[in-house]
């Protein structure tokens, strides 16, 4: 298995080497047509060749490392030249093709055809060496840092190291006895000259050489020389601290005048004058065809950085939040339209009652007039928008009845007609709004369908077949079987099941630990299996499938099963309460195997016994909101069922309320919902039980466990809850059921999941949050963890987390943690694998700044293994910052780098490095050195 893991890292490094070769080739093409070759371009090619050389050495690709080293030397020679010839460009491009061929070959084997090397590679590199030669001593410097990396390091060294030398010189000049002034100044000049050479500051190096020359030729004026040198060095320090690396003082004379060298060439190349040209090729092209056994398949694919996929995924999460907000506004608008319609009907009814109250009983209408009937009674004047009533002829009445009362009736009729006309207009407007709302809802529906398709496409981009993860397992299991004399068959089903890339990566270590545990603890040796009536060949099966919105990984073996008696004995040995362990159910006992430091193995082997495997399984699964269930039967076998979500960015949740706080439960965790019925509740051993169908389910009142301290604000509800009454959520907990009682249920929503960042951890049972359409932040419930926390808190004598972890934590703390710092993920993984095999815990940092943040965050780091060439903050800068902090003065820092020069080693040791190793390194020697340093040993060389 270890060999398979190392091979995977090697293949990933070859992908990285291919990218470096692409970068070199892109800068080499057409380089001979340029008026002047810039140093930055050569430095970039030099860094790429240097990275290939160092990484290939660590990955044990000796031929690739050797050729990259020779190519690096050629770039060191070119670095001092302003222009290269077309023949050199042609040969360098051919050399890059040779390295490509080696990379292609190394994908299959570490052995490169010697005949091809002799006939094709050696003549090419010898021709380059004849033209360029080997780098001279002044050219054989450290691999240059990029401008972003180098400036910060140079400034830090001039602020600390150089300032110490200058203060020392000021102290010497202030003394009355200056008998050794010349020797002291010469020593300082030499040390500063060495530093200038390492940092590639030619002007500063020339200034130091000028000081030494004046001291040698004019010893009688040593005090004057020292004063002038101090001023020149201070000036250089000030310029560098201001970020000016060009135009530094370069020569010192006794008149105090400092000559400067213009670093800019008068004949600078015009970038617009550079034209592309097709690179020349060898007259007899190299035979770079891949070996016959290598079959290359090409697809129309595009390589996209994972970071861009993550950004696309995050943007879709924001789109989901905005969709939820739009749906919420549409719902609120629909409710407003319904309220408007009710108000219009109420106004119409009021008008009808008023009108009928003024008419004689014989004229009462039989029913409430409708809008259409009323419109048939009114008409608009052609000259105005005013309504007039077209009345029918009335019975003639005596003139004596037409008094002032009639005038009032007529005025009331006109007002009533105008009110009814306004009501009709309101109904028309309400109808128009309703029609627009229906069209808007249709557009929103189309938008949601398109978003669903977009989500599916984004998920497909992030998906990888399950076989990509378990494809290497058969070989790993076969190596274990040959090594330990067991006959085991591995069956894999559902290899084409797509799983999210992030989730698949998180499943790697858990499944590998389960495989190793099943092989070591579960599967018996052939003799034992035969004596038990089992076939001599054991079987381990891994199956991937879908269930609803979850991906299920079923891991099963037909071994001896988990010995529950040994688990109970081990728990007692770790200090847990005997009576509580004896009364615990088998399911509760099985949860102990996931605790840190817990192992039932009698001895520690290369496979198991350290008590970290199952802890890693549960920890990694919790990071991706997954859970694991265990079923075991003595003599039959063990089954682990892992459930993980289909995606980590978007989930469908059920919003519930408890004590006035909204909580989001993943719908995949809920089997059923029902209203709380008091008649269905009983008490068994002082614990409430819910009678559901034929089951008696433990009932948990969530409000008793989750108590929130908050201000009681008025809750302006704009929507109605789905179930505005105490509700029970039925949740599967292993092979049992559990009922969670909440106050109200607000319905389902599709939401974007967001992590909660900060130094304060989430409470038990929560692992993230979501943002609703109205901007509310709702915590996301991790159902298995919440139930586990509640179950362990019910029995503080046995299942309290502090009691459970007490003895296991002592074992865990005995394993020191090593911080591995390197910008190459392949180097970090390979080195981490080596250190984990040696029994250490490993933390990783991608550069010096990342490592510094881990140290400052309070991580308990026993030692650091650090590279030098890294972005943002390189190894030298990391050393300077760490050692300047009194809290880390005694922290062992081991430098592991491709730089093998004495000056680089001395600079690192001067900055506080405890040990210095060059790539490729001796793994045994590195492990022994770390062990001595952690146990209080001295510095290593």
């Amino acid at each position: 298995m270890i060999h398979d893991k190392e091979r995977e890292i090697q293949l990933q490094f070859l992908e990285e080497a291919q990218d470096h070769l692409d970068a070199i080739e892109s800068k080499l093409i057409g380089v001979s047509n340029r008026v002047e070759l810039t140093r930055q371009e050569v430095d970039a090619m030099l860094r790429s060749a240097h990275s290939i050389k160092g990484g290939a050495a660590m990955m044990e690709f000796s031929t690739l490392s050797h050729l990259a080293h020779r190519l690096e030397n050629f770039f060191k020679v070119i670095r001092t030249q302003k222009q290269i010839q077309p023949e050199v460009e042609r040969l360098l491009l051919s050399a890059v093709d040779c390295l490509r061929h080696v990379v292609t070959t190394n994908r299959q084997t570490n052995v490169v055809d010697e005949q091809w090397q002799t006939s094709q590679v050696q003549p090419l590199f010898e021709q380059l060496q004849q033209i360029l030669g080997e780098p001279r001593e002044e050219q054989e410097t450290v691999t240059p840092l990029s401008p972003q990396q180098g400036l910060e390091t140079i400034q830090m060294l001039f602020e600390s190291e150089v300032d110490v030398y200058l203060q020392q010189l000021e102290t010497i000049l202030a003394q009355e006895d200056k008998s050794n002034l010349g020797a002291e100044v010469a020593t300082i000049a030499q040390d500063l000259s060495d530093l200038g050479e390492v940092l590639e500051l030619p002007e500063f190096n020339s200034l130091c050489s000028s000081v030494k020359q004046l001291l040698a030729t004019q010893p009688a004026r040593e005090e004057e020389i020292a004063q002038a040198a101090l001023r020149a060095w201070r000036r250089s320090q000030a310029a560098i601290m201001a970020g000016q690396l060009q135009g530094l003082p370069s020569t010192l004379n006794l008149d105090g005048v400092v000559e400067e060298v213009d670093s800019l060439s008068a004949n600078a190349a015009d970038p617009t004058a550079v034209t592309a040209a097709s690179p020349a090729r060898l007259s007899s092209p190299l035979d770079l065809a891949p070996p016959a056994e290598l079959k290359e398949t090409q697809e129309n694919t595009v390589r996209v950085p994972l970071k861009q996929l993550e950004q696309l995924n995050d943007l879709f999460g924001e789109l989901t939040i905005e969709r939820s907000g739009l749906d919420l506004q549409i719902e609120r608008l629909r409710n407003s339209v319904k309220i408007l319609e009710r108000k219009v009907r109420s106004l119409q009814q009021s008008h009808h009652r008023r009108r009928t109250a003024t008419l004689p009983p014989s004229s009462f209408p039989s029913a409430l007039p409708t809008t259409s009937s009323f419109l048939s009674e009114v008409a608009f004047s052609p000259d105005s928008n005013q309504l007039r009533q077209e009345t029918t002829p009335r019975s003639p009445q005596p003139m004596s009845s037409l008094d002032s009362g009639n005038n009032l009736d007529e005025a009331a009729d006109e007002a009533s007609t105008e009110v009814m006309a306004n009501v009709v207009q309101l109904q028309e407007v309400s109808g128009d709004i309703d029609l627009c709302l229906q069209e808007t809802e249709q557009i929103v529906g189309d938008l949601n369908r398109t978003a669903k398709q977009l989500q599916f496409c984004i998920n497909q981009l992030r998906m990888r077949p399950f076989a990509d993860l378990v494809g290497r397992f058969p070989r790993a299991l076969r190596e274990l079987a040959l090594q330990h004399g067991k006959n085991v068959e591995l069956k894999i089903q559902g290899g084409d099941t797509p799983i999210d890339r992030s989730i698949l990566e998180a499943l790697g270590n858990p499944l590998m630990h389960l495989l190793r545990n099943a092989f070591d603890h579960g599967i018996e040796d052939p003799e034992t299996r035969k004596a038990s009536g089992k076939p001599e060949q054991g079987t381990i099966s891994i199956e991937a499938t879908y269930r609803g919105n979850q991906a299920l990984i079923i891991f099963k073996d037909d071994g001896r099963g988990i010995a529950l008696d040994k688990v109970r004995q081990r728990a007692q040995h770790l200090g847990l309460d005997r009576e509580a362990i004896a009364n615990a159910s088998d399911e509760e006992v099985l949860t102990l195997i996931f605790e840190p430091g817990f192992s039932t193995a009698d001895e520690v082997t290369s496979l198991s016994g350290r008590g970290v495997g199952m802890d890693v399984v549960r920890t990694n699964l919790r990071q991706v909101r997954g859970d694991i269930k265990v079923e075991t039967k003595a003599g039959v076998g063990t089954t682990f069922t892992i459930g993980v979500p289909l995606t980590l960015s978007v989930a469908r949740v059920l919003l519930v309320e408890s004590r006035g706080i909204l909580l989001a439960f993943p719908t995949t965790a809920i089997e059923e919902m029902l209203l709380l019925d008091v008649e269905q509740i009983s008490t068994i051993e002082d614990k409430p039980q819910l009678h559901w169908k034929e089951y008696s389910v433990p009932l948990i009142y969530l409000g008793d466990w989750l108590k929130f301290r908050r201000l009681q604000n008025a809750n302006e509800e704009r929507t109605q809850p789905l179930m505005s009454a105490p509700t029970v959520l039925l949740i599967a907990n292993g092979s049992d059921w559990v009922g969670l009682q909440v106050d109200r249920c607000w319905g389902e929503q599709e939401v974007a999941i967001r992590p909660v960042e900060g130094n304060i951890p989430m409470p038990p049972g929560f692992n993230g949050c979501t943002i609703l359409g109205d901007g509310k932040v709702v915590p996301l419930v991790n159902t298995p963890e919440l139930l586990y926390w509640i179950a362990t808190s019910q029995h503080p004598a046995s299942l309290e987390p502090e009691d459970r972890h007490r003895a296991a934590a002592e074992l865990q703390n005995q394993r020191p943690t090593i911080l591995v710092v390197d910008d190459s993920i392949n180097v970090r993984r390979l080195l981490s694998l080596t250190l984990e095999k040696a029994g250490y815990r490993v933390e990783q940092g991608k550069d010096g700044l990342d490592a510094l943040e881990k140290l400052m965050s309070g991580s308990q780091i026993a030692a650091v293994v650090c590279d030098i060439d890294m972005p943002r903050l390189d190894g030298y800068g990391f050393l300077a910052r760490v050692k300047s902090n009194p809290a880390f003065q005694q922290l062992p820092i081991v430098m592991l780098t491709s730089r093998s020069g004495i000056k680089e080693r001395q600079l690192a040791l001067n900055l506080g490095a405890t040990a210095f190793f060059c790539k490729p390194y001796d793994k045994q020697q590195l492990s022994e050195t770390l062990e001595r340093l952690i146990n209080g040993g001295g510095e290593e060389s």
Side-chain angles (χ1 to χ4, degrees):
M1 189 278 294
I2 297 298
H3 175 73
D4 199 8
K5 189 72 173 179
E6 292 177 349
R7 185 58 183 169
E8 179 187 358
I9 298 174
Q10 288 176 339
L11 292 176
Q12 292 180 357
F13 162 76
L14 292 176
E15 291 290 338
E16 182 181 309
Q18 188 71 39
D19 294 337
H20 285 304
L21 292 176
D22 291 341
I24 294 175
E25 184 181 65
S26 66
K27 292 179 173 57
L28 278 178
I29 295 178
V31 70
S32 60
N33 295 332
R34 301 175 190 174
V35 178
E36 184 177 1
L37 184 64
T38 63
R39 188 168 181 175
Q40 289 76 10
E41 292 175 331
V42 182
D43 287 349
M45 293 186 289
L46 184 56
R47 285 192 294 271
S48 295
H50 179 80
S51 298
I52 297 175
K53 179 193 73 173
M58 286 197 64
M59 304 296 166
E60 299 179 354
F61 296 131
S62 57
T63 302
L64 182 60
S65 178
H66 173 68
L67 295 180
H69 178 62
R70 297 191 65 180
L71 186 63
E72 180 187 16
N73 286 339
F74 296 145
F75 287 139
K76 288 180 179 179
V77 176
I78 295 174
R79 193 163 174 263
T80 60
Q81 300 177 1
K82 293 185 178 181
Q83 193 175 17
I84 64 174
Q85 299 300 319
E87 179 68 9
V88 175
E89 176 190 347
R90 177 182 63 83
L91 294 174
L92 288 173
L93 285 170
S94 299
V96 172
D97 291 340
C98 289
L99 267 70
R100 287 189 190 278
H101 177 70
V102 176
V103 169
T104 303
T105 304
N106 286 150
R107 295 182 191 277
Q108 300 294 328
T109 177
N110 288 8
V111 180
V112 182
D113 185 14
E114 294 184 0
Q115 183 179 359
W116 174 78
Q117 295 185 59
T118 304
S119 60
Q120 300 290 336
V121 181
Q122 292 183 7
L124 174 64
F125 280 77
E126 287 175 1
Q127 190 175 357
L128 275 170
Q129 186 172 355
Q130 290 175 1
I131 298 175
L132 298 175
E134 292 291 340
R136 299 186 299 274
E137 182 179 356
E138 62 269 21
Q139 296 171 337
E140 190 66 58
T141 58
V142 295
T143 302
L145 298 172
S146 65
Q148 294 82 359
Q149 295 171 297
L151 179 59
E152 184 177 357
T153 301
I154 293 172
Q155 289 177 333
M156 185 177 301
L157 292 175
F158 266 74
E159 184 180 6
S160 56
E161 298 295 323
V162 174
D163 194 66
V164 171
Y165 283 109
L166 299 185
Q167 290 180 7
Q168 179 183 352
L169 181 55
E170 290 174 346
T171 302
I172 295 174
L173 289 173
Q175 295 176 355
E176 296 182 0
D177 183 12
K178 299 183 178 60
S179 57
N180 294 326
L181 178 61
E184 295 286 351
V185 175
T187 301
I188 294 175
Q190 181 61 46
D191 292 344
L192 293 180
S193 177
D194 294 340
L195 181 62
E197 183 179 355
V198 170
L199 298 179
E200 295 182 328
L201 300 174
E203 293 90 348
F204 187 77
N205 189 27
S206 176
L207 175 62
C208 296
S209 300
S210 176
V211 172
K212 292 188 292 183
Q213 183 178 3
L214 287 175
L215 288 172
T217 57
Q218 302 183 44
R221 305 175 64 181
E222 59 183 18
E223 184 174 357
E224 185 179 355
I225 295 172
Q227 294 285 358
L230 179 60
R231 291 193 298 270
W233 284 332
R234 283 296 186 188
R235 180 178 175 183
S236 297
Q237 183 189 32
I240 289 175
M241 296 306 298
Q244 301 295 328
L245 301 183
Q246 305 292 337
L248 297 176
S250 59
T251 305
L252 183 71
N253 60 30
L254 296 184
D255 296 330
V257 179
V258 180
E259 301 177 2
E260 299 180 4
V261 177
D262 186 4
S263 60
L264 300 176
S265 173
N267 299 322
D270 182 5
T272 61
V274 178
T275 59
S278 300
R281 296 295 177 186
L282 289 172
S283 57
S284 58
L286 296 174
D287 183 14
L288 296 178
E293 66 271 16
L294 302 181
K295 295 184 179 180
E296 181 180 0
T297 59
Q298 295 182 351
E299 297 179 358
N300 293 328
T301 60
V302 177
R303 296 183 61 185
V304 179
L306 183 60
K307 182 179 180 181
Q308 293 186 7
L309 288 180
E310 296 294 344
Q311 291 175 347
L312 186 63
N313 205 43
D314 292 341
L315 288 176
F316 180 78
E318 296 299 325
L319 177 62
T320 302
I321 296 174
E322 293 166 1
R323 281 173 47 213
S324 299
L326 181 59
D327 291 338
L328 180 61
Q329 295 300 327
I330 291 292
E331 184 180 359
R332 290 174 175 176
L333 183 58
R334 170 62 67 187
N335 293 334
S336 299
V337 170
K338 291 180 180 178
I339 294 174
L340 177 61
E341 291 175 348
R342 288 198 301 269
K343 294 296 184 182
V344 170
R345 285 196 299 269
S346 176
L347 182 61
Q348 186 178 3
Q349 292 171 357
S350 298
H351 169 72
H352 177 70
R353 288 193 298 269
R354 175 185 174 88
R355 184 180 181 187
T356 54
T358 60
L359 295 177
S362 60
S363 61
F364 282 3
S366 58
L368 183 68
T370 61
T371 303
S372 58
S373 64
F374 179 79
L375 287 176
S376 64
E377 298 177 3
V378 297
F380 289 94
S381 172
D383 298 330
S384 67
N385 290 330
Q386 300 294 329
L387 283 172
R388 60 182 180 85
Q389 182 176 8
E390 296 180 351
T391 58
T392 57
R394 297 187 177 184
S395 301
Q397 297 185 9
M399 295 297 296
S400 59
S401 64
L402 299 177
D403 52 9
S404 60
N406 292 334
N407 295 331
L408 293 177
D409 292 339
E410 292 179 358
D413 289 342
E414 292 179 359
S416 175
T417 302
E418 183 177 357
V419 170
M420 193 59 189
N422 290 333
V423 170
V424 172
Q425 292 178 354
L426 284 176
Q427 287 181 324
E428 292 176 348
V429 173
S430 175
D432 292 340
I433 294 176
D434 184 69
L435 180 61
C436 293
L437 185 58
Q438 292 178 8
E439 295 176 350
T440 303
E441 288 176 338
Q442 183 177 358
I443 295 174
V444 171
D446 295 338
L447 174 63
N448 289 335
R449 283 189 293 271
T450 304
K452 285 286 186 182
Q453 296 174 358
L454 177 61
Q455 178 185 358
F456 176 79
C457 293
I458 293 177
N459 290 340
Q460 289 299 114
L461 287 176
R462 296 177 53 85
M463 293 290 184
R464 290 170 52 193
F466 183 64
D468 285 2
L469 173 63
V470 298
R472 65 181 189 273
F473 284 14
R475 180 177 176 180
L477 185 61
R478 179 58 180 167
E479 292 178 354
L480 292 174
L482 293 175
Q483 181 180 357
H484 297 276
K486 291 184 178 181
N487 188 4
V488 187
E489 178 188 11
L490 179 62
K491 295 181 179 180
I492 298 176
Q493 298 177 348
D496 56 349
T497 303
I499 297 179
D500 187 277
R501 175 185 298 269
S502 300
I503 297 176
L504 199 64
E505 292 176 353
L507 287 173
N509 284 336
L511 288 181
M512 183 57 70
H513 282 296
L514 290 179
L515 182 68
R516 293 164 64 92
N517 279 352
F519 178 86
D520 191 33
H521 295 293
I523 302 297
E524 309 94 336
D525 57 81
E527 292 77 12
T528 304
R529 292 181 63 86
K530 187 175 181 180
S532 303
K534 295 182 178 180
E536 294 185 6
Q537 185 182 56
T539 301
I540 298 176
S541 64
I542 307 176
E543 179 183 0
T545 185
Y546 285 160
R547 188 188 69 180
N549 292 327
Q550 271 194 322
L552 294 183
I553 313 297
I554 303 173
F555 192 101
K556 184 185 300 184
D557 69 76
D558 64 346
R560 60 172 60 92
I562 299 176
L564 296 178
D565 293 339
K566 295 186 67 174
V567 176
R568 296 177 190 271
Q569 292 174 5
R570 182 60 177 170
Q572 294 177 6
H573 179 71
L574 292 176
L576 298 183
D577 184 78
R578 291 177 177 270
E579 183 178 355
I581 295 173
N583 295 331
S585 64
D586 292 345
E587 289 77 11
E588 291 176 325
V589 171
L590 282 174
T591 61
L592 293 173
I593 67 175
F594 297 103
E595 296 302 326
F598 194 95
S599 176
T600 58
D602 297 329
E603 60 181 4
V604 177
T605 65
S606 59
L607 284 178
S608 60
R610 295 183 176 87
V612 298
M614 303 307 293
D615 173 40
V616 170
V617 172
R618 186 175 63 178
T619 301
N620 286 23
L621 289 176
R622 284 180 176 176
Q623 292 176 355
V624 294
R625 305 200 310 273
D627 63 334
I628 183 169
K629 302 175 183 178
V630 190
E631 297 178 6
T632 187
K633 188 174 182 180
V636 177
T638 303
T639 300
F640 292 90
T641 303
I642 298 174
V644 293
L646 297 181
T647 178
L648 295 178
S649 57
V650 178
R652 191 153 191 87
V653 299
L654 176 69
L655 294 177
V656 303
E657 181 179 336
S658 177
R659 287 183 173 267
I661 296 294
L662 284 178
L663 304 173
F665 280 80
T667 56
T668 55
I670 300 173
E671 298 292 336
E672 190 171 334
M673 293 188 305
L674 51 93
L675 290 175
L676 184 62
D677 188 354
V678 180
E679 296 181 355
Q680 294 179 306
I681 301 176
S682 62
T683 302
I684 302 177
E685 296 182 357
D686 296 331
K687 296 180 180 179
Q689 299 286 323
L690 176 68
H691 297 284
W692 173 67
K693 297 182 178 179
E694 68 273 14
Y695 300 101
S696 179
V697 179
L699 181 61
I700 299 174
Y701 296 97
L702 194 59
D704 295 341
W705 293 93
L706 302 180
K707 299 180 181 180
F708 306 98
R709 295 179 176 88
R710 64 185 184 92
L711 295 176
Q712 297 294 331
N713 297 326
N715 185 17
E716 298 180 358
E717 298 179 1
R718 301 296 181 89
T719 60
Q720 294 296 323
L722 178 65
M723 302 173 72
S724 186
T727 307
V728 177
L729 309 179
L730 290 172
I731 300 173
N733 185 25
S735 58
D736 299 327
W737 296 89
V738 174
L740 284 179
Q741 185 262 320
V742 297
D743 297 339
R744 289 193 291 181
C745 176
W746 289 85
E748 295 185 19
Q749 281 193 25
E750 188 174 61
V751 296
I753 305 301
R754 290 291 182 262
V756 178
E757 300 178 353
N759 296 327
I760 301 177
M762 293 285 289
F766 299 91
N767 61 353
C769 69
T770 182
I771 303 176
L772 302 184
D774 57 0
K776 291 181 180 179
V777 179
V778 179
L780 180 67
V781 178
N782 186 332
T783 310
E785 186 177 351
L786 178 65
L787 294 179
Y788 174 77
W789 171 70
I790 293 176
T792 55
S793 299
Q794 286 177 340
H795 306 283
S798 61
L799 299 178
E800 188 72 12
E802 290 78 8
D803 295 335
R804 174 171 288 192
H805 294 299
R806 178 174 54 82
E810 296 178 358
L811 297 176
Q812 193 71 8
N813 293 333
Q814 293 176 1
R815 304 179 66 243
T817 301
I818 307 295
L819 177 60
V820 176
V821 189
D822 199 296
D823 60 330
S824 172
I825 185 174
N826 298 312
V827 174
R828 292 201 306 269
R829 293 181 64 186
L830 184 62
L831 187 56
S832 298
L833 191 62
T834 300
L835 295 175
E836 287 174 351
K837 288 166 58 179
Y840 296 105
R841 276 183 168 267
V842 178
E843 290 279 348
Q844 296 185 20
K846 61 185 178 181
D847 53 39
L849 192 59
D850 186 32
L852 195 62
E853 292 174 354
K854 291 181 181 296
L855 287 176
M856 299 304 294
S857 65
S859 300
Q860 299 299 319
I861 304 299
V864 180
V865 179
C866 183
D867 189 20
I868 290 180
D869 298 300
M870 295 180 294
R872 297 202 300 175
L873 184 62
D874 66 322
Y876 292 137
F878 174 75
L879 269 174
R881 288 196 181 184
V882 171
K883 291 303 180 181
S884 64
N885 192 327
F888 304 120
Q889 287 289 339
Q890 304 301 321
L891 178 65
I893 300 180
V894 178
M895 307 305 293
L896 180 61
T897 176
S898 300
R899 302 186 178 190
S900 57
I902 298 177
K903 295 177 181 178
E904 292 83 5
R905 178 190 296 267
Q906 191 61 42
L907 177 60
L909 295 177
N910 289 340
L911 288 174
T914 317
F916 193 98
F917 285 82
C918 297
K919 302 174 184 177
Y921 63 95
D922 188 330
K923 298 179 181 179
Q924 184 66 27
Q925 184 181 1
L926 177 62
S927 299
E928 293 175 355
T929 300
L930 286 173
E931 183 177 359
R932 286 195 297 269
L933 294 177
I934 292 175
N935 293 333
E939 293 187 353
E940 302 285 335
S941 60

